[in-house]
Structures are given as C-alpha cells and as structure tokens.
Amino acid sequence: DAATESAVRSFQSHAGIDVDGIVGPVTWRNLVWHYDYPDFDAGLCDQDPDGNGTANWGTAAAIAQVEEGVRRFVATGRGRVPLGDIGFEHGGSIPGHSSHQVGMDVDLWPIRTDDAQCTADRITWRSSTYDRDATRKLVQELRATGRVKLIFFNDPTLIAEGLTQQYPNHDNHLHVRYCERVHPNSLYDC
C-alpha cells in the first residue's frame, strides 16, 4: 500500500541507495544487514575467548533470533548462555574465525551442570561438567526461532539426533549460522 511504499522510500533514502519504493535485492540486503548489538539482559553473558573484544555485532535479524532463542532457553531455568564472537560492527575479517564476516555466524558455549558457564572456563562435550540435556534444549530453542541454517557442535549424541553437525575444532562451542530467504551468498541463503 502507499504507507509501505513511503516507508520503503524513506529507508532507501536513509541508507543512501536508489529510491524506488521497491524492496529489491539491494534494499533487502540493507534491511537485513543492518548491524545490531545483542541485549545481554536477554540471558546472554559476554565471553571473549579469542581476544576480539566486543566482536558481538551481527545483522539485526541474526541478533533478534539469537536473543529470542536464548530468552526461551533461560525461561526453562537452566542458566544464562555464554556468547563468544559474532563479528565486528561493520563486518569484515575477525581473528580466529574463517567465517563471522557477515554478522550471521554466532558462537555460543555449551551449558554446564554446575551453572558456571558464564564464570568458569569453556568446556567441551567430553567434560564432566558438560550438561548435554541443557545444551540440547538450547539448540532446540535456537532452532525454534526459524532461520537457523546449521549448528556446528561435535557432541556425537546431538549429531545423531540431527540437531548439530560435526566440524573440526567445534568441541567447545556451538557455531550457529543464521540464514535469510534472499542472500547473495549461498552459505547464508535459506
């Protein structure tokens, strides 16, 4: 309708792209690639395992989905969720990560039986304090938000259940990749 077209034109002007009132690929990319910073009141705690500081920026869509999944998980009473790295505010290479360049890859730590995931060191799925049931619930809540393309985490039980996928060097964190229906990179296309 006219109000939607007006809102699209206003956004296009603000974004500095061609103003035509149509949400084509360039407008869509600007809409979903708007970077946002997570709300740590959503149940997240900030971890910095790779020394990248506040590399917690992601697309607004990815941030909204991780926040929603974490809120759902926290509501089950199993503690907060440690956030590793996502990306820098405007994207680009991030040390220690071959992906995490477009704000749609999020690292989360597995949940511990002692609820110390936000205060203690990172664990692996082999650790005695690893809480598989709580980590499973976290993965289920993240997936319930809708646009999770994949989750790398090497727990063989969660892999056998179809919840995660094996990938080298993913014993101690969950690598969640979000996707969009229209994305120029097939790695992030739903």
Side-chain angles (χ1 to χ4, degrees), residues 62 65-66 98-100 104-108 138-154 158-159 162-168 170 173-180 185-190:
Q65 288 181 78
V66 76
S98 59
S99 59
H100 292 264
M104 294 175 69
D105 292 283
V106 177
D107 285 348
L108 301 170
L138 172 61
V139 169
Q140 290 168 335
E141 296 299 350
L142 292 168
R143 287 188 170 281
T145 64
R147 291 198 181 136
V148 172
K149 180 144 186 171
L150 58 82
I151 299 177
F152 293 133
F153 182 56
N154 293 339
L158 299 184
I159 292 169
L163 294 172
T164 65
Q165 298 175 6
Q166 191 278 331
Y167 199 77
H170 286 76
H173 69 284
L174 292 81
H175 177 121
V176 183
R177 175 164 293 156
Y178 289 96
C179 60
E180 292 297 333
N185 184 333
S186 64
L187 293 174
Y188 301 97
D189 192 43
C190 293

Side-chain angles (χ1 to χ4, degrees), residues 1-181:
D1 64 4
T4 302
E5 182 179 347
S6 176
V8 170
R9 287 179 179 278
S10 177
F11 175 79
Q12 290 169 327
S13 177
H14 171 75
I17 56 179
D18 288 342
V19 178
D20 62 7
I22 299 168
V23 180
V26 172
T27 300
W28 184 250
R29 185 170 49 249
N30 277 270
L31 280 168
V32 299
W33 286 5
H34 169 76
Y35 275 54
D36 202 358
Y37 200 76
D39 177 2
F40 285 96
D41 290 335
L44 292 161
C45 56
D46 191 14
Q47 300 291 350
D48 186 15
D50 299 316
N52 290 317
T54 57
N56 298 327
W57 291 88
T59 65
I63 295 295
Q65 288 181 78
V66 76
E67 287 173 349
E68 179 61 23
V70 167
R71 279 188 186 99
R72 291 178 186 199
F73 173 78
V74 168
T76 68
R78 296 179 175 171
R80 297 176 68 202
V81 178
L83 173 66
D85 288 332
I86 303 174
F88 294 126
E89 184 173 4
H90 301 290
S93 272
I94 178 170
H97 302 278
S98 59
S99 59
H100 292 264
Q101 296 183 28
V102 298
M104 294 175 69
D105 292 283
V106 177
D107 285 348
L108 301 170
W109 292 11
I111 306 304
R112 299 171 58 115
T113 57
D114 59 7
D115 293 326
Q117 56 265 16
C118 290
T119 56
D121 289 335
R122 206 164 26 169
I123 59 170
T124 73
W125 64 269
R126 293 182 179 99
S127 301
S128 62
T129 55
Y130 169 58
D131 189 335
R132 177 175 288 125
D133 290 337
T135 302
R136 176 187 292 115
K137 185 63 175 170
L138 172 61
V139 169
Q140 290 168 335
E141 296 299 350
L142 292 168
R143 287 188 170 281
T145 64
R147 291 198 181 136
V148 172
K149 180 144 186 171
L150 58 82
I151 299 177
F152 293 133
F153 182 56
N154 293 339
D155 178 335
T157 301
L158 299 184
I159 292 169
E161 294 171 359
L163 294 172
T164 65
Q165 298 175 6
Q166 191 278 331
Y167 199 77
N169 302 315
H170 286 76
D171 286 353
N172 64 359
H173 69 284
L174 292 81
H175 177 121
V176 183
R177 175 164 293 156
Y178 289 96
C179 60
E180 292 297 333
R181 294 180 209 275

